[in-house]
Amino acid sequence: MAEVLVLVETAPDGSGVRKTTLEALTAARALGEPSAVVLGAPGTAAPVKDVLAEYGAAKVLVGESDDIDAYLVAPKAEVLAQLVADRSPAAVVIPSTPEGKEIAGRLAIKTGSGFLTDVTEIAADGTATQVAFAGATIVHAKVTTGTPIYTLRGNSVAPEASAAAGEEETIAVSVSDAAKQTRVVDRVVEQKSDRPDLTEAAIVVSGGRGVASAENFSIIEGLADSLGAAVGASRAAVDSGFYPHSFQVGQTGKTVSPQLYIAVGISGAIQHRAGMQTSKSIVAVNKDPEAPIFELADFGVVGDLNTVVPAATEQITARK
Amino acid sequence: MNIVVLVKQVPDSGTERQLDSSDNTVARASADNVINEMDEYAIEEALTVKESQGGEVTVLTVGPDGATDAIRKALSMGADKAVHVSDTAIHGSCAVQTSAVIAAALSQLEYDLVICGAESTDGRVSVMPALLSERLGIPHLSGARKLTVEGSTLKVERQTDGGFWALEAQTPAIVSTWDTINEPRYPSFKGIMAAKKKPVETKSLADLGVDAGSVGLATATSQVLDFAGRPPKGEGVKVTDEGDGAEKLVGYLAEQKLV
Ligand SMILES: Cc1cc2nc3c(=O)[nH]c(=O)nc-3n(C[C@H](O)[C@H](O)[C@H](O)COP(=O)(O)OP(=O)(O)OC[C@H]3O[C@@H](n4cnc5c(N)ncnc54)[C@H](O)[C@@H]3O)c2cc1C
Ligand SMILES: Cc1cc2nc3c(=O)[nH]c(=O)nc-3n(C[C@H](O)[C@H](O)[C@H](O)COP(=O)(O)OP(=O)(O)OC[C@H]3O[C@@H](n4cnc5c(N)ncnc54)[C@H](O)[C@@H]3O)c2cc1C
């Protein structure tokens, strides 16, 4: 069976893999037999090997070097390009994060291949589905040159376990000077949240300008916590200083695709839709019956969020 | 410090956008075309760097003849001159091909710094700067929410989930900017008038020494097979809160087995 390289995205604390990796392994199985590629500082692979095998990695290719962590993106692309040259895989699948896309692009140039970004599905014949124009258009596309490279949008494929051998192979890593041009001097964490990660959460509750203040965002957090959900925000809420930028959903924020998206006090501007339109169920609370968000809501409540949302939180908590 | 800003003209993201069913490319002719909003932040950053470091800001656009509107906007904000690569052979190019054209155009310019948006609002591929970095062999400092220039050293805060990475590289380099980096200025009346007199050089593929057969739909590295409007969602339910809004909402969630 043809080999498909899957680039592993590990959790920031190194304790495991991000859900995107399991999704990529699952999607890759349509094309062949996945080999998970773990690239990072020494010690990166040990904590993640088992889960990779559990999700279908026939092989786990481990390239560990301090240079991979010390320089931005380029070393990973270089190692992957070497693997593509050595092993002629049927395809490469990479989680569609900003870093993943940069790696995909560099890999495409290095290997003379085409790439498709932000795909939501990959069929056995290599045809991929992309969602264009803020979710309004569904596109089918195919790579016609070289080794197809895909970046897979988070939360589009449900991860399915499928035990495989997970046979470990060490890759010799030597990073060229050309790949050592951008140094990562520091990695700074500014906000830590105990809530689920926005892009991985099954439920997202987002607040907009209608929430009216930073203090009042506790209403959004309250509903989110009653549902075990992540909190998101519109750009207007972020720009008004109600909530930090890293929680912004939309074109220039995060793209989310949860089971349930609850938009509270958000009008539904096209740039906001770009980040949430593929959510399975959409619920909106807005006092303006004409708000465009209602056009895509499966369930809408026309009302004041200050009364509707706390009452809903209370009832959800009472059901537990 | 000489800076080139990459600017793309795109269909207005606030309007209905479409692909053209004749060849599955973006319907640009019928669209309300504007400067890629994300590139306004790149222009603003270039002007800010110029104000502290001196030098010239050149706008570079690859796009059809109509893309002059985006160029004028950039010039009216304060950029000094522009290069517009326009050639019908480029129509339908994939990102890989487009990057070859932009790289060729950059090679004919003198620059210490290239600044571009982190993504366009039409393709949203968000890899152009990485492709150019790879082709030109210059460092890429990506996703900047802050840029500091200290001589030939560039320092960038790369926006990440819940924080940032501090990046460092030497010029010449390419920096891609997020919309968190600054607040783009509005063109002044004076700026708009001055823009009309600023030089815009138009170049063809032949001027760049790029083979017309290496770009365009026929040799694109990826191909759109078909497209369709997203199937309309079933008509949603909308209730007006009369003291029972929360109850109905929770009822819906229960029905969907979401609580
Ligand atoms: C819906 C859709 C999906 C697509 N998917 C793919 C795909 O998966 N793979 C693929 O290879 N191509 C794809 N394309 C084609 C690709 O978008 C174009 O080739 C485009 O010219 C380059 O990519 P971008 O605009 O998405 O760039 P991005 O990387 O998103 O843009 C980043 C920045 O690069 C600069 N820039 C980009 N293009 C230009 C330009 N022409 N002139 C000057 N500066 C520019 C701007 O500063 C911009 O902010 C897609 C196009 C569409 C419409
Ligand atoms: C380049 C660019 C990129 C962008 N990227 C993004 C992005 O990533 N994400 C994003 O979200 N936006 C983005 N935007 C901005 C977008 O265009 C909108 O301005 C923004 O989404 C509006 O946020 P909002 O819905 O919270 O605010 P508004 O449009 O002001 O809507 C507030 C809503 O709250 C309702 N409301 C007010 N009070 C109450 C109450 N008490 N109870 C119930 N409802 C109430 C109002 O009826 C209204 O519908 C971008 C714009 C540009 C130009």
Side-chain angles (χ1 to χ4, degrees), chain A residues 209 234-235 248-252 265 267 271-272 286 304-305:
Chain A
R209 199 198 309 267
S234 73
R235 175 156 140 183
Q248 181 177 316
V249 171
Q251 185 177 290
T252 53
S267 61
Q271 294 94 346
H272 188 76
N286 197 304
D304 189 334
L305 66 92

Side-chain angles (χ1 to χ4, degrees), chain B:
Chain B
M1 176 158 288
N2 289 323
I3 307 168
V4 178
V5 192
L6 303 182
V7 169
K8 187 182 186 190
Q9 178 152 299
V10 298
D12 187 349
S13 65
T15 61
E16 289 296 321
R17 292 163 293 169
Q18 257 142 17
L19 293 175
D20 186 332
S21 53
S22 67
D23 63 358
N24 298 342
T25 63
V26 178
R28 297 188 189 277
S30 59
D32 187 1
N33 291 305
V34 297
I35 188 169
N36 173 29
E37 292 102 321
M38 295 293 284
D39 295 345
E40 293 184 26
Y41 301 86
I43 298 164
E44 176 64 38
E45 202 56 25
L47 296 173
T48 309
V49 173
K50 177 189 157 170
E51 280 155 15
S52 70
Q53 311 286 321
E56 250 189 347
V57 175
T58 306
V59 176
L60 172 59
T61 293
V62 175
D65 288 345
T68 35
D69 293 350
I71 293 173
R72 287 293 160 202
K73 171 89 189 243
L75 293 176
S76 62
M77 284 174 73
D80 299 296
K81 57 190 176 54
V83 174
H84 181 184
V85 179
S86 182
D87 198 309
T88 48
I90 300 170
H91 175 79
S93 292
C94 66
V96 176
Q97 294 170 311
T98 307
S99 72
V101 177
I102 297 178
L106 281 170
S107 303
Q108 294 187 349
L109 294 169
E110 254 173 59
Y111 61 85
D112 306 290
L113 182 56
V114 179
I115 307 184
C116 70
E119 69 176 33
S120 70
T121 57
D122 59 349
R124 292 195 75 193
V125 173
S126 46
V127 294
M128 190 53 68
L131 296 172
L132 295 171
S133 160
E134 193 66 39
R135 285 192 186 277
L136 298 164
I138 59 172
H140 175 208
L141 301 99
S142 45
R145 64 171 205 185
K146 188 175 176 203
L147 168 66
T148 314
V149 180
E150 290 170 7
S152 62
T153 303
L154 301 173
K155 294 183 177 176
V156 152
E157 285 185 14
R158 174 193 216 258
Q159 191 172 293
T160 61
D161 267 344
F164 68 92
W165 290 1
L167 306 180
E168 232 178 84
Q170 300 297 311
T171 55
I174 182 162
V175 173
S176 52
T177 55
W178 273 116
D179 58 348
T180 37
I181 195 164
N182 57 40
E183 200 47 65
R185 66 194 67 183
Y186 286 103
S188 64
F189 180 69
K190 220 175 107 202
I192 293 168
M193 295 316 286
K196 294 186 173 149
K197 299 195 194 76
K198 289 179 177 170
V200 180
E201 190 183 351
T202 306
K203 290 190 180 183
S204 65
L205 287 176
D207 295 332
L208 299 179
V210 173
D211 170 18
S214 68
V215 297
L217 209 49
T219 53
T221 63
S222 57
Q223 216 173 23
V224 174
L225 305 172
D226 59 60
F227 69 92
R230 211 173 129 74
K233 291 192 101 160
E235 190 69 4
V237 177
K238 188 158 82 177
V239 301
T240 300
D241 177 39
E242 279 154 2
D244 55 355
E247 198 177 320
K248 287 181 171 156
L249 196 166
V250 177
Y252 169 79
L253 296 180
E255 207 178 282
Q256 300 291 316
K257 305 208 166 23
L258 292 162
V259 288

